[in-house]
Amino acid sequence: MKSKKLIIVLIIIIILLLIFGAAEVLRTHRTDNESLIKDDNATPWNGEQSLPRAARAQGDVIAIPGFDELVFIERQKEQAVNFYNPEGNDCLFLMTLFVNEKQVWKSGYVAPGNGYYQIELADELSKGQYSGVLRIQCFKSDGSELNSAKVNFNLIVIER
Amino acid sequence: MKKLISLILATILLLSISCVTAHAEDSQVYEGSASTTITYRVQSSYCILIPEYIDADCGQYTFQADYLNVANGERVFVVVSNVDENGRILFTHDNGENTLKKNIVTSGDTDVPQYCVGCFYGEDTNSKISFCVGEENYEADYLKAGNYSATVEFSVYLGN
């Protein structure tokens, strides 16, 4: 009976020793982690910053011819112009002429190296000075739209 | 009656002679030869090269002119005309669905109109200012990976 009690006490002591041993191992492991040195160069994270980008090659260019003045003849629809799509371009021009912001003429799709020497206005103009705009819309042959331009100029309508 | 007609004719004759004298004052007569000044104006003209489209990753754009023939004191301005009220242009993803807006950032000559991205004068066919699109994205619903590009309408005009 006495030896039974002794065995039970020994088992309890062993279990307690195991528990204390496991607790010591865990404590030691935690201490090792806390001993790692943190990098002071790291800063608080506030979301991504914008990084330098490798620039891609710029695409092709479109030649847009411009002028400062155009002279029309009064009271006639047929007018002489030099509206064209320069030879080296790789796109089609769709040109629209505005006089004082009112559309008076529109072209079809003009291929490079082609243009107009004579146009027919929607309305006759009377003598005077006007604000002229030639809007040039540019398209690839597949129909995709490219950048466009508005050429601003003085329009002078003189007597016949 | 005959006397009256003679008097009128004589008066007309006298007036004609005095008119001829008045025109002669415009010319300089020297040892039997005369000289006068004839003026002839050559209109300003130019051909600006614009990019086919604006790529958000293409870095700095510097416009060039194919040719430039402008009078002294005149400048050719290239201005972006389809910016929104905050000076931003719309970029569209290659998929045609996702969009974002970016600012136009210019550098160089400051004495230019708002949203001016190109300025030419003299005989230099390189623009005196350059531009790029800003790093910041605006009104982007979701930044889908891929290429974004914009079609821009440039307004081109001569000014001082």
Side-chain angles (χ1 to χ4, degrees), chain A residues 53 58 62 64 66 147 150, chain B residues 46 50 52 60 152 154 156:
Chain A
R53 293 156 173 271
Q58 293 183 9
I62 306 166
I64 303 287
N147 287 336
K150 289 195 296 189
Chain B
Y46 51 85
I50 64 168
E52 286 190 342
Q60 198 89 343
V152 174
F154 297 104
V156 190

Side-chain angles (χ1 to χ4, degrees), chain B residues 64-95:
Chain B
Q64 291 197 314
D66 196 25
Y67 69 84
L68 195 65
N69 185 11
V70 296
N72 289 340
E74 280 186 334
R75 292 188 288 175
V76 178
F77 295 112
V78 184
V79 176
V80 178
S81 61
N82 63 333
V83 292
D84 69 8
E85 65 277 7
N86 297 312
R88 296 165 189 164
I89 53 176
L90 181 73
F91 284 78
T92 306
H93 191 276
D94 284 348
N95 65 13

Side-chain angles (χ1 to χ4, degrees), chain A residues 50 53 55-58 60-69 84 135 140 145-152, chain B residues 41 43-53 55 57-58 60-61 147 150-156 158:
Chain A
S50 62
R53 293 156 173 271
R56 285 203 296 273
Q58 293 183 9
D60 290 332
V61 292
I62 306 166
I64 303 287
F67 44 90
D68 68 336
E69 192 177 285
Y84 67 104
R135 185 180 187 207
K140 284 282 187 192
E145 189 169 5
L146 304 171
N147 287 336
S148 58
K150 289 195 296 189
V151 177
N152 299 265
Chain B
R41 180 169 176 263
Q43 286 188 19
S44 296
S45 59
Y46 51 85
C47 187
I48 305 296
L49 303 174
I50 64 168
E52 286 190 342
Y53 54 87
D55 191 323
D57 284 336
C58 263
Q60 198 89 343
Y61 284 89
N147 296 329
T151 52
V152 174
E153 186 168 74
F154 297 104
S155 187
V156 190
L158 272 165

Side-chain angles (χ1 to χ4, degrees), chain A residues 26-45:
Chain A
L26 284 171
R27 193 187 66 79
T28 310
H29 186 69
R30 199 174 295 134
T31 308
D32 283 349
N33 273 353
E34 282 173 0
S35 68
L36 290 177
I37 300 163
K38 291 172 185 164
D39 189 353
D40 292 334
N41 292 323
T43 58
W45 190 250

Side-chain angles (χ1 to χ4, degrees), chain A residues 95-157:
Chain A
M95 295 181 272
T96 313
L97 178 64
F98 296 89
V99 175
N100 283 359
E101 299 183 358
K102 184 186 171 194
Q103 181 181 322
V104 294
W105 174 80
K106 188 166 189 174
S107 75
Y109 294 99
V110 184
N114 291 277
Y116 300 90
Y117 292 115
Q118 291 282 335
I119 61 170
E120 186 177 329
L121 305 180
D123 293 310
E124 297 173 353
L125 296 169
S126 50
K127 185 183 167 187
Q129 289 210 15
Y130 301 86
S131 132
V133 173
L134 182 66
R135 185 180 187 207
I136 301 172
Q137 292 170 275
C138 308
F139 297 89
K140 284 282 187 192
S141 49
D142 65 3
S144 56
E145 189 169 5
L146 304 171
N147 287 336
S148 58
K150 289 195 296 189
V151 177
N152 299 265
F153 58 93
N154 296 317
L155 177 66
I156 300 168
V157 180

